[in-house]
């Protein structure tokens, strides 16, 4: 597949294909065009989960200002688009893969998108801060009105800036749909250094990756982490046989089998939700996410 490479080292990459050519462009057309053939779908699953969590948090908070959400590895603001607007992931694929010669691009597309998304914004929209190392992707998401604030930052390598720390304080919910493995407990520790009260955390994590270091860090911050045990969630198809073989090796090293999951040709993710113990007791996960 064009734009796909494989790492020469192991570690957190576990042989996973890289998509550098599409992750940091001036607009999301190449991103959606590159991932559509692989049936990339984890933001679709995230939409239902994050909306359910946001609704529950709003009910618990009562009459307060809009919910404050931080989306890690936000790329072009896809999760923010699905959380805050009356549209689906298929709508986004249609919008960004159907343009021909002369279609808006870059800044022009971002300006057009700002009006497009404003017309679809839900009345209970959250304020979303996005964090990603891809500066062009973050810049597009801010220009298009998907992110209220965006920060091009690599918290694995660097401490958050004072501006980012100020933006993080008061966060109600942290979301991530695919970055764990590239980001580790180090990123979460730096985030939690900036907040006065621990937010809820919802993370979709590929089964090739252990979430234990992150959940241990969150426990020290006062959060109880629960895993949805009734199902897994398809992320995307394997880019090729080499990626699938590497994933199978990583899963075997973790003592996991692939039958009924990755054997179907897709990466599968698990959902982890972390909340304060009082919230866990007051609202069991089965009631919080009844469809799962």
């Amino acid at each position: 597949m064009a734009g796909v490479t494989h790492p020469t080292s192991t570690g957190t990459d576990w042989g996973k294909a890289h998509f550098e050519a599409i992750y940091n462009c001036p607009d999301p057309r190449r991103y959606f065009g590159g991932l559509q053939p692989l049936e990339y779908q984890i933001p679709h699953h995230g939409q239902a989960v994050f909306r359910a969590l946001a609704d529950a948090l709003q009910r618990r908070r009562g009459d307060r200002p809009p919910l404050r959400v931080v989306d890690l590895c936000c790329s072009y603001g896809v999760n923010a688009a699905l959380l805050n607007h009356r549209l689906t992931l298929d709508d986004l694929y249609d919008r960004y893969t159907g343009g021909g010669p002369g279609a808006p691009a870059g800044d022009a597309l971002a300006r057009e998108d700002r009006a497009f998304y404003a017309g679809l914004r839900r009345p209970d929209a959250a304020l979303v801060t996005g964090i990603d190392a891809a500066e062009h992707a973050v810049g597009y998401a801010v220009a298009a009105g998907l992110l209220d604030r965006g920060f091009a930052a690599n918290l694995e390598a660097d401490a958050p800036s004072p501006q980012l720390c100020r933006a993080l304080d008061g966060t109600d919910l942290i979301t991530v749909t695919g970055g764990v493995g590239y980001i580790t407990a180090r990123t979460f520790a730096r985030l939690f250094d900036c907040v006065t009260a621990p937010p809820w955390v919802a993370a979709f994590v590929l089964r090739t990756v252990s979430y234990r270091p992150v959940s241990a860090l969150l426990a020290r911050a006062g959060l109880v982490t629960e895993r949805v045990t009734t199902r897994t969630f398809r992320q995307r198809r394997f880019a090729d046989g080499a990626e699938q073989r590497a994933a199978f090796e990583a899963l075997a090293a973790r003592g996991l089998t692939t039958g009924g999951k990755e054997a179907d040709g897709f990466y599968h993710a698990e959902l982890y939700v972390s909340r304060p113990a009082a919230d866990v007791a007051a609202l069991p996960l089965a009631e919080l996410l009844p469809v799962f």
Side-chain angles (χ1 to χ4, degrees):
M1 180 177 174
V4 179
T5 60
H6 286 274
T8 55
S9 61
T10 55
T12 57
D13 283 338
W14 68 89
K16 191 168 183 281
H18 287 176
F19 294 84
E20 291 93 340
I22 65 174
Y23 278 158
N24 196 25
C25 299
D27 64 58
R29 293 171 303 149
R30 293 184 68 187
Y31 176 86
F32 283 101
L35 291 176
Q36 187 177 43
L38 299 178
E39 299 181 53
Y40 177 67
Q41 60 192 260
I42 201 69
H44 163 73
H45 303 303
Q47 181 179 41
V49 169
F50 300 155
R51 282 189 179 179
L53 296 178
D55 289 346
L57 275 165
Q58 286 284 25
R59 289 194 298 271
R60 286 188 68 77
R61 295 187 337 156
D63 185 17
R64 288 178 54 187
L67 204 71
R68 297 178 62 174
V69 175
V70 170
D71 189 40
L72 297 179
C73 305
C74 66
S75 70
Y76 299 92
V78 178
N79 287 332
L82 296 176
L83 174 67
N84 280 339
H85 302 85
R86 299 185 301 276
L87 45 69
T88 66
L89 182 60
D90 284 341
D91 293 330
L92 298 182
Y93 277 122
D94 289 344
R95 181 166 182 81
Y96 295 115
T97 61
D107 291 343
L109 179 58
R111 288 192 296 271
E112 186 177 288
D113 280 348
R114 178 174 281 272
F116 170 75
Y117 289 115
L120 295 171
R121 195 166 178 86
R122 301 174 71 205
D124 57 348
L127 298 176
V128 182
T129 296
I131 303 172
D132 198 297
E135 59 180 332
H136 296 304
V138 173
Y140 157 82
V142 172
L146 294 173
L147 297 179
D148 297 280
R149 290 169 294 196
F151 294 88
N154 179 355
L155 299 184
E156 288 294 300
D158 303 304
S161 67
Q163 294 85 353
L164 176 52
C165 251
R166 286 194 293 270
L168 292 172
D169 195 25
T171 297
D172 297 294
L173 173 65
I174 294 174
T175 60
V176 57
T177 50
V180 176
Y182 299 113
I183 61 171
T184 69
R186 182 181 298 111
T187 286
F188 286 88
R190 285 172 164 161
L191 291 174
F192 274 72
D193 282 344
C194 296
V195 300
T196 53
W200 290 12
V201 180
F204 287 86
V205 183
L206 292 181
R207 295 201 322 136
T208 48
V209 179
S210 172
Y211 196 58
R212 187 172 300 170
V214 176
S215 62
L217 180 280
L218 298 180
R220 293 194 292 273
L223 299 182
V224 176
T225 296
E226 299 174 281
R227 177 174 63 89
V228 169
T229 59
T230 52
R231 62 167 294 184
T232 57
F233 303 83
R234 284 180 170 182
Q235 190 218 34
R236 63 163 171 82
R237 287 191 178 277
F238 294 111
D240 52 33
E243 185 179 53
Q244 185 172 29
R245 288 190 295 274
F248 281 19
E249 291 172 3
L251 290 161
R254 298 196 63 220
L256 300 176
T257 59
T258 63
K261 300 189 185 301
E262 290 80 7
D264 66 7
F266 284 80
Y267 277 112
H268 279 245
E270 294 180 308
L271 171 61
Y272 295 86
V273 180
S274 305
R275 298 173 290 159
D279 292 338
V280 172
L283 187 57
L285 195 61
E287 297 178 15
L288 184 65
L289 303 172
V291 296
F292 302 132

